[in-house]
Amino acid sequence: MKKNPFNFETVVKSYQHHAFALGIILNGENSYNWLYNNYIQMAYSIVGGLGSFNFYMDFVMRQPILNRNYLDDEFLNYYNINKVDYIMNAVMFGKYVYLCVDDYHIPGRPSYGKRHNCHDLLINGYDKHNKEFSVIGYFGRKLSESTVKYNELEQSNPLFITLLSLNENASFQLNIAAIVLQLKQYINIIDNVVIGDVYYDDYKFGIEAIKELLNSYRKTMDDLKYCEINQACIYLEHNLLMKNRIEFIMKRYSYKLIDISLQYNVVVEKSELLKVLLLKYNARPQINTANKFLKLFQEIIELDENCMRKLVNRLEK
Protein backbone atom coordinates (compact mmCIF):
# COMPACT_ATOMS: atom_id res chain seq x y z
CA MET A 1 0.00 0.00 0.00
CA LYS A 2 1.19 3.49 -0.83
CA LYS A 3 -0.53 6.80 -0.06
CA ASN A 4 0.73 10.34 -0.51
CA PRO A 5 -0.44 12.97 2.05
CA PHE A 6 -3.34 15.26 1.23
CA ASN A 7 -4.67 18.22 3.25
CA PHE A 8 -8.49 18.22 3.30
CA GLU A 9 -8.62 21.34 5.51
CA THR A 10 -8.04 23.84 2.71
CA VAL A 11 -10.50 26.74 2.74
CA VAL A 12 -10.80 26.96 -1.05
CA LYS A 13 -12.73 23.93 -2.26
CA SER A 14 -15.81 25.06 -4.22
CA TYR A 15 -13.93 24.09 -7.38
CA GLN A 16 -12.08 20.78 -7.37
CA HIS A 17 -8.98 22.03 -9.19
CA HIS A 18 -8.30 24.51 -6.39
CA ALA A 19 -8.94 21.89 -3.69
CA PHE A 20 -6.73 19.31 -5.42
CA ALA A 21 -3.77 21.66 -5.84
CA LEU A 22 -3.99 23.12 -2.34
CA GLY A 23 -4.42 19.67 -0.80
CA ILE A 24 -1.05 18.77 -2.31
CA ILE A 25 0.66 22.08 -1.51
CA LEU A 26 -0.50 22.66 2.07
CA ASN A 27 1.35 19.88 3.83
CA GLY A 28 3.81 22.00 5.77
CA GLU A 29 3.68 25.23 7.78
CA ASN A 30 5.87 27.15 5.32
CA SER A 31 3.56 26.25 2.43
CA TYR A 32 0.96 28.60 3.92
CA ASN A 33 3.31 31.46 3.04
CA TRP A 34 2.71 30.62 -0.62
CA LEU A 35 -1.05 30.41 -0.08
CA TYR A 36 -1.23 33.84 1.54
CA ASN A 37 0.95 35.35 -1.21
CA ASN A 38 -1.76 34.26 -3.65
CA TYR A 39 -5.56 33.86 -3.80
CA ILE A 40 -6.27 37.57 -3.33
CA GLN A 41 -7.60 38.97 -6.59
CA MET A 42 -11.06 38.11 -7.98
CA ALA A 43 -12.51 38.52 -11.47
CA TYR A 44 -15.91 38.52 -13.15
CA SER A 45 -16.92 38.75 -16.81
CA ILE A 46 -20.40 39.85 -17.91
CA VAL A 47 -19.92 37.90 -21.16
CA GLY A 48 -18.63 34.86 -19.30
CA GLY A 49 -21.45 35.06 -16.76
CA LEU A 50 -21.56 33.59 -13.28
CA GLY A 51 -19.19 30.78 -14.21
CA SER A 52 -16.43 33.32 -14.83
CA PHE A 53 -16.37 34.50 -11.21
CA ASN A 54 -13.28 33.07 -9.59
CA PHE A 55 -9.90 33.80 -8.09
CA TYR A 56 -7.84 35.58 -10.74
CA MET A 57 -4.51 33.81 -11.15
CA ASP A 58 -2.71 31.50 -13.56
CA PHE A 59 -4.29 28.04 -13.54
CA VAL A 60 -3.26 26.65 -10.18
CA MET A 61 -2.05 23.33 -11.60
CA ARG A 62 0.55 25.26 -13.62
CA GLN A 63 1.88 27.32 -10.72
CA PRO A 64 5.69 27.05 -10.23
CA ILE A 65 5.11 25.59 -6.77
CA LEU A 66 4.01 22.35 -8.44
CA ASN A 67 6.07 20.06 -10.64
CA ARG A 68 3.91 18.99 -13.57
CA ASN A 69 4.53 16.11 -16.00
CA TYR A 70 2.19 15.21 -18.81
CA LEU A 71 2.15 12.55 -21.54
CA ASP A 72 -0.37 13.03 -24.32
CA ASP A 73 -3.18 10.44 -24.46
CA GLU A 74 -2.25 9.60 -28.05
CA PHE A 75 1.32 8.89 -26.94
CA LEU A 76 0.14 6.55 -24.17
CA ASN A 77 -2.18 4.73 -26.56
CA TYR A 78 0.34 4.55 -29.42
CA TYR A 79 2.93 2.83 -27.25
CA ASN A 80 0.26 0.70 -25.57
CA ILE A 81 1.23 1.90 -22.11
CA ASN A 82 -0.92 0.32 -19.41
CA LYS A 83 -2.53 3.27 -17.62
CA VAL A 84 -3.04 1.41 -14.34
CA ASP A 85 0.66 0.52 -14.17
CA TYR A 86 1.62 4.04 -15.27
CA ILE A 87 -0.47 5.59 -12.48
CA MET A 88 0.76 3.13 -9.84
CA ASN A 89 4.40 3.83 -10.71
CA ALA A 90 3.79 7.58 -10.55
CA VAL A 91 2.21 7.33 -7.09
CA MET A 92 5.03 5.05 -5.93
CA PHE A 93 7.51 7.85 -6.77
CA GLY A 94 5.51 10.39 -4.76
CA LYS A 95 3.40 11.83 -7.56
CA TYR A 96 -0.28 12.76 -7.45
CA VAL A 97 -2.27 11.87 -10.55
CA TYR A 98 -4.76 14.43 -11.82
CA LEU A 99 -6.99 13.07 -14.59
CA CYS A 100 -10.43 13.09 -16.16
CA VAL A 101 -12.67 10.03 -15.91
CA ASP A 102 -16.16 8.97 -16.92
CA ASP A 103 -18.09 9.16 -13.64
CA TYR A 104 -20.48 6.48 -14.91
CA HIS A 105 -17.87 3.93 -13.77
CA ILE A 106 -16.77 5.63 -10.51
CA PRO A 107 -18.66 4.41 -7.40
CA GLY A 108 -19.95 7.16 -5.15
CA ARG A 109 -20.08 9.83 -7.85
CA PRO A 110 -23.53 11.33 -8.63
CA SER A 111 -23.42 9.99 -12.22
CA TYR A 112 -22.33 6.45 -11.25
CA GLY A 113 -24.32 3.89 -13.23
CA LYS A 114 -26.73 6.60 -14.47
CA ARG A 115 -25.13 8.74 -17.16
CA HIS A 116 -21.78 9.30 -18.84
CA ASN A 117 -20.11 12.43 -17.47
CA CYS A 118 -16.43 13.35 -17.80
CA HIS A 119 -15.05 14.90 -14.62
CA ASP A 120 -11.71 15.38 -12.89
CA LEU A 121 -10.35 13.19 -10.10
CA LEU A 122 -7.14 13.01 -8.08
CA ILE A 123 -5.33 9.78 -7.24
CA ASN A 124 -2.99 9.84 -4.25
CA GLY A 125 -2.52 6.16 -3.42
CA TYR A 126 -2.97 2.51 -4.30
CA ASP A 127 -3.41 -0.87 -2.60
CA LYS A 128 -1.96 -3.80 -4.57
CA HIS A 129 -3.60 -6.38 -2.32
CA ASN A 130 -7.13 -5.05 -2.90
CA LYS A 131 -6.32 -3.86 -6.44
CA GLU A 132 -7.69 -0.39 -5.85
CA PHE A 133 -6.66 3.25 -5.98
CA SER A 134 -7.17 5.87 -3.29
CA VAL A 135 -8.99 8.73 -5.01
CA ILE A 136 -10.03 12.23 -3.94
CA GLY A 137 -13.01 14.17 -5.25
CA TYR A 138 -16.56 15.18 -4.50
CA PHE A 139 -18.51 12.11 -3.44
CA GLY A 140 -21.91 13.51 -2.65
CA ARG A 141 -21.57 17.10 -1.42
CA LYS A 142 -18.27 16.72 0.40
CA LEU A 143 -14.66 16.65 -0.76
CA SER A 144 -13.49 13.30 0.51
CA GLU A 145 -11.40 10.21 -0.11
CA SER A 146 -12.71 6.99 -1.60
CA THR A 147 -11.45 3.92 -3.46
CA VAL A 148 -11.79 2.81 -7.06
CA LYS A 149 -10.90 -0.67 -8.26
CA TYR A 150 -8.24 -0.95 -10.96
CA ASN A 151 -10.76 -2.36 -13.45
CA GLU A 152 -13.27 0.43 -12.67
CA LEU A 153 -10.64 3.04 -13.43
CA GLU A 154 -9.77 1.30 -16.70
CA GLN A 155 -13.46 1.24 -17.69
CA SER A 156 -13.73 4.98 -16.93
CA ASN A 157 -11.38 5.74 -19.86
CA PRO A 158 -8.93 8.01 -17.99
CA LEU A 159 -7.78 10.99 -20.06
CA PHE A 160 -5.44 14.00 -19.71
CA ILE A 161 -3.33 12.17 -17.12
CA THR A 162 -1.14 14.74 -15.36
CA LEU A 163 1.46 13.95 -12.71
CA LEU A 164 1.85 16.52 -9.93
CA SER A 165 4.25 16.92 -7.02
CA LEU A 166 5.38 19.72 -4.74
CA ASN A 167 8.33 21.72 -6.05
CA GLU A 168 10.61 21.80 -3.02
CA ASN A 169 12.75 24.52 -4.67
CA ALA A 170 9.85 26.97 -4.97
CA SER A 171 9.74 30.09 -2.81
CA PHE A 172 7.93 29.65 0.50
CA GLN A 173 8.67 33.14 1.83
CA LEU A 174 5.79 35.44 2.75
CA ASN A 175 6.01 38.50 0.49
CA ILE A 176 4.29 41.49 2.13
CA ALA A 177 5.07 43.78 -0.83
CA ALA A 178 3.39 41.37 -3.25
CA ILE A 179 0.38 41.07 -0.95
CA VAL A 180 0.02 44.86 -0.75
CA LEU A 181 0.24 45.14 -4.55
CA GLN A 182 -2.55 42.60 -5.01
CA LEU A 183 -4.67 44.24 -2.30
CA LYS A 184 -4.39 47.56 -4.15
CA GLN A 185 -5.54 45.80 -7.31
CA TYR A 186 -8.37 44.18 -5.35
CA ILE A 187 -9.72 47.53 -4.13
CA ASN A 188 -9.14 48.98 -7.62
CA ILE A 189 -6.73 51.78 -6.68
CA ILE A 190 -4.19 50.51 -9.24
CA ASP A 191 -4.78 48.66 -12.50
CA ASN A 192 -4.82 44.89 -12.57
CA VAL A 193 -2.09 42.94 -14.38
CA VAL A 194 -3.36 40.64 -17.13
CA ILE A 195 -2.35 37.04 -16.46
CA GLY A 196 -3.51 33.54 -17.27
CA ASP A 197 -4.81 31.83 -20.38
CA VAL A 198 -8.51 32.55 -19.73
CA TYR A 199 -9.22 36.23 -20.23
CA TYR A 200 -12.31 38.24 -21.11
CA ASP A 201 -12.06 41.78 -22.53
CA ASP A 202 -14.82 42.89 -20.16
CA TYR A 203 -13.27 41.45 -16.99
CA LYS A 204 -13.97 43.37 -13.81
CA PHE A 205 -11.54 42.87 -10.95
CA GLY A 206 -11.60 42.85 -7.17
CA ILE A 207 -14.36 44.87 -5.51
CA GLU A 208 -15.76 45.77 -8.94
CA ALA A 209 -16.02 42.05 -9.72
CA ILE A 210 -17.90 41.46 -6.45
CA LYS A 211 -20.31 44.27 -7.36
CA GLU A 212 -20.95 42.63 -10.75
CA LEU A 213 -21.68 39.36 -8.95
CA LEU A 214 -24.19 41.20 -6.77
CA ASN A 215 -25.80 42.71 -9.89
CA SER A 216 -26.08 39.27 -11.45
CA TYR A 217 -27.84 37.89 -8.37
CA ARG A 218 -30.13 40.95 -8.32
CA LYS A 219 -31.22 40.39 -11.93
CA THR A 220 -31.93 36.71 -11.27
CA MET A 221 -33.85 37.43 -8.08
CA ASP A 222 -35.93 40.11 -9.79
CA ASP A 223 -37.56 37.22 -11.67
CA LEU A 224 -37.56 34.99 -8.56
CA LYS A 225 -35.43 32.42 -10.39
CA TYR A 226 -33.04 29.87 -8.92
CA CYS A 227 -29.56 31.28 -8.16
CA GLU A 228 -26.28 29.40 -8.51
CA ILE A 229 -24.66 29.10 -5.07
CA ASN A 230 -21.06 28.29 -6.06
CA GLN A 231 -20.15 31.93 -6.61
CA ALA A 232 -21.40 33.02 -3.18
CA CYS A 233 -19.37 30.13 -1.72
CA ILE A 234 -16.24 31.27 -3.58
CA TYR A 235 -16.63 34.78 -2.19
CA LEU A 236 -17.06 33.29 1.30
CA GLU A 237 -13.88 31.25 0.77
CA HIS A 238 -12.07 34.39 -0.34
CA ASN A 239 -13.14 36.16 2.84
CA LEU A 240 -12.28 33.22 5.11
CA LEU A 241 -8.85 33.11 3.48
CA MET A 242 -8.38 36.86 3.98
CA LYS A 243 -9.32 36.49 7.66
CA ASN A 244 -6.73 33.73 8.04
CA ARG A 245 -4.17 35.79 6.11
CA ILE A 246 -4.55 38.77 8.47
CA GLU A 247 -4.19 36.54 11.54
CA PHE A 248 -1.19 34.78 9.97
CA ILE A 249 0.60 38.10 9.35
CA MET A 250 -0.15 39.32 12.89
CA LYS A 251 1.40 36.21 14.45
CA ARG A 252 4.64 36.43 12.46
CA TYR A 253 5.24 40.15 12.15
CA SER A 254 4.96 43.24 14.31
CA TYR A 255 2.05 44.77 12.38
CA LYS A 256 -0.76 45.95 14.65
CA LEU A 257 -3.81 44.57 12.90
CA ILE A 258 -6.08 43.47 15.74
CA ASP A 259 -8.76 46.08 14.96
CA ILE A 260 -8.80 45.10 11.26
CA SER A 261 -8.89 41.43 12.22
CA LEU A 262 -11.93 41.95 14.42
CA GLN A 263 -13.68 43.97 11.71
CA TYR A 264 -12.94 41.31 9.12
CA ASN A 265 -14.37 38.64 11.39
CA VAL A 266 -17.67 40.47 10.92
CA VAL A 267 -17.20 40.27 7.12
CA VAL A 268 -16.80 36.50 7.41
CA GLU A 269 -19.78 36.10 9.75
CA LYS A 270 -21.98 38.09 7.38
CA SER A 271 -20.64 36.10 4.39
CA GLU A 272 -21.63 32.85 6.11
CA LEU A 273 -25.10 34.27 6.75
CA LEU A 274 -25.25 35.32 3.08
CA LYS A 275 -24.79 31.69 2.04
CA VAL A 276 -27.58 30.60 4.40
CA LEU A 277 -29.91 33.24 2.98
CA LEU A 278 -29.19 32.09 -0.56
CA LEU A 279 -29.99 28.49 0.38
CA LYS A 280 -33.21 29.69 1.97
CA TYR A 281 -34.10 31.73 -1.12
CA ASN A 282 -33.44 28.78 -3.47
CA ALA A 283 -35.61 26.50 -1.33
CA ARG A 284 -38.49 28.98 -1.57
CA PRO A 285 -37.89 32.09 -3.75
CA GLN A 286 -39.56 35.07 -2.10
CA ILE A 287 -39.08 38.83 -2.52
CA ASN A 288 -38.51 39.33 1.22
CA THR A 289 -35.66 36.80 1.33
CA ALA A 290 -34.18 38.21 -1.89
CA ASN A 291 -34.18 41.75 -0.47
CA LYS A 292 -32.47 40.58 2.74
CA PHE A 293 -29.82 38.77 0.68
CA LEU A 294 -29.14 41.75 -1.60
CA LYS A 295 -28.99 44.23 1.29
CA LEU A 296 -26.60 42.01 3.25
CA PHE A 297 -24.40 41.46 0.19
CA GLN A 298 -24.07 45.24 -0.29
CA GLU A 299 -23.12 45.65 3.38
CA ILE A 300 -20.43 42.96 3.06
CA ILE A 301 -18.90 44.61 -0.01
CA GLU A 302 -18.66 47.96 1.78
CA LEU A 303 -17.14 46.39 4.92
CA ASP A 304 -14.73 44.32 2.82
CA GLU A 305 -13.48 47.35 0.89
CA ASN A 306 -13.16 49.46 4.04
CA CYS A 307 -11.11 46.77 5.82
CA MET A 308 -8.84 46.24 2.80
CA ARG A 309 -8.09 49.97 2.54
CA LYS A 310 -7.12 49.99 6.22
CA LEU A 311 -5.00 46.87 5.74
CA VAL A 312 -3.09 48.39 2.81
CA ASN A 313 -2.36 51.56 4.82
CA ARG A 314 -1.21 49.54 7.84
CA LEU A 315 1.05 47.18 5.85
CA GLU A 316 2.69 50.07 4.00
CA LYS A 317 3.79 51.82 7.21
Side-chain angles (χ1 to χ4, degrees):
M1 177 182 286
K2 166 74 175 180
K3 186 180 289 188
N4 297 321
F6 185 89
N7 186 346
F8 285 93
E9 300 305 313
T10 171
V11 167
V12 185
K13 57 180 67 173
S14 287
Y15 287 132
Q16 282 191 160
H17 63 279
H18 288 303
F20 289 163
L22 293 177
I24 296 169
I25 294 168
L26 301 179
N27 281 295
E29 184 176 355
N30 287 338
S31 61
Y32 281 84
N33 290 330
W34 180 89
L35 174 66
Y36 296 132
N37 284 341
N38 296 280
Y39 282 91
I40 294 174
Q41 185 60 300
M42 308 295 291
Y44 182 95
S45 162
I46 297 172
V47 172
L50 274 175
S52 70
F53 181 75
N54 205 340
F55 290 93
Y56 186 69
M57 57 193 295
D58 282 325
F59 185 54
V60 66
M61 297 297 185
R62 290 197 285 271
Q63 293 284 335
I65 197 168
L66 290 175
N67 295 315
R68 179 175 177 268
N69 305 105
Y70 173 74
L71 287 179
D72 188 86
D73 296 316
E74 290 185 9
F75 180 92
L76 293 172
N77 293 332
Y78 182 83
Y79 287 99
N80 199 30
I81 295 174
N82 184 286
K83 293 182 179 180
V84 168
D85 290 340
Y86 177 61
I87 292 169
M88 282 178 57
N89 288 330
V91 173
M92 181 175 64
F93 283 99
K95 306 286 187 181
Y96 300 78
V97 184
Y98 177 61
L99 71 172
C100 287
V101 296
D102 183 352
D103 278 351
Y104 182 89
H105 301 283
I106 306 298
R109 301 285 264 198
S111 300
Y112 177 59
K114 298 176 183 176
R115 60 185 182 278
H116 295 283
N117 178 44
C118 187
H119 214 291
D120 50 349
L121 199 68
L122 189 73
I123 298 176
N124 72 320
Y126 64 82
D127 183 337
K128 280 187 176 181
H129 178 74
N130 292 318
K131 296 183 178 180
E132 62 189 19
F133 288 109
S134 170
V135 299
I136 297 166
Y138 272 94
F139 296 89
R141 294 181 178 273
K142 186 178 179 181
L143 183 73
S144 57
E145 190 173 73
S146 186
T147 57
V148 173
K149 296 293 185 182
Y150 292 168
N151 66 315
E152 291 170 334
L153 189 75
E154 285 183 304
Q155 291 168 4
S156 73
N157 188 31
L159 300 170
F160 312 116
I161 301 173
T162 303
L163 311 184
L164 300 168
S165 61
L166 189 64
N167 178 6
E168 300 291 348
N169 296 318
S171 174
F172 289 93
Q173 298 299 312
L174 194 69
N175 189 333
I176 297 295
I179 292 172
V180 169
L181 177 66
Q182 292 175 81
L183 287 173
K184 287 182 176 180
Q185 293 169 341
Y186 179 71
I187 56 179
N188 307 118
I189 61 176
I190 63 172
D191 290 336
N192 192 76
V193 176
V194 176
I195 57 174
D197 55 1
V198 178
Y199 184 78
Y200 295 94
D201 290 336
D202 70 337
Y203 254 151
K204 301 291 185 181
F205 297 101
I207 291 296
E208 292 302 317
I210 312 302
K211 290 178 180 177
E212 289 297 339
L213 177 61
L214 170 58
N215 289 336
S216 178
Y217 277 129
R218 180 179 287 111
K219 290 174 184 177
T220 304
M221 288 180 170
D222 281 346
D223 297 324
L224 293 179
K225 292 182 179 178
Y226 177 88
C227 290
E228 292 292 334
I229 195 171
N230 254 11
Q231 290 68 35
C233 291
I234 292 168
Y235 185 43
L236 169 59
E237 290 171 352
H238 173 275
N239 295 345
L240 280 167
L241 197 55
M242 188 64 72
K243 169 183 174 290
N244 294 346
R245 181 182 288 110
I246 294 168
E247 293 173 354
F248 188 85
I249 293 173
M250 278 199 303
K251 288 178 182 177
R252 285 158 177 77
Y253 296 89
S254 58
Y255 295 104
K256 295 179 180 179
L257 306 175
I258 186 65
D259 58 324
I260 299 174
S261 178
L262 291 172
Q263 289 171 2
Y264 213 81
N265 285 345
V266 176
V267 172
V268 170
E269 290 169 4
K270 287 179 177 288
S271 299
E272 290 171 337
L273 177 58
L274 191 75
K275 178 182 174 182
V276 172
L277 275 174
L278 188 54
L279 288 169
K280 181 180 178 181
Y281 167 85
N282 279 338
R284 188 180 180 188
Q286 290 184 324
I287 293 175
N288 184 48
T289 309
N291 288 338
K292 287 181 180 179
F293 173 88
L294 298 171
K295 181 182 178 182
L296 180 61
F297 203 158
Q298 183 63 49
E299 289 176 9
I300 294 169
I301 293 172
E302 292 171 3
L303 283 170
D304 184 10
E305 183 175 9
N306 182 48
C307 286
M308 292 304 97
R309 289 185 181 277
K310 288 181 180 179
L311 182 59
V312 166
N313 290 336
R314 208 71 58 84
L315 293 178
E316 283 193 313
K317 288 182 178 180

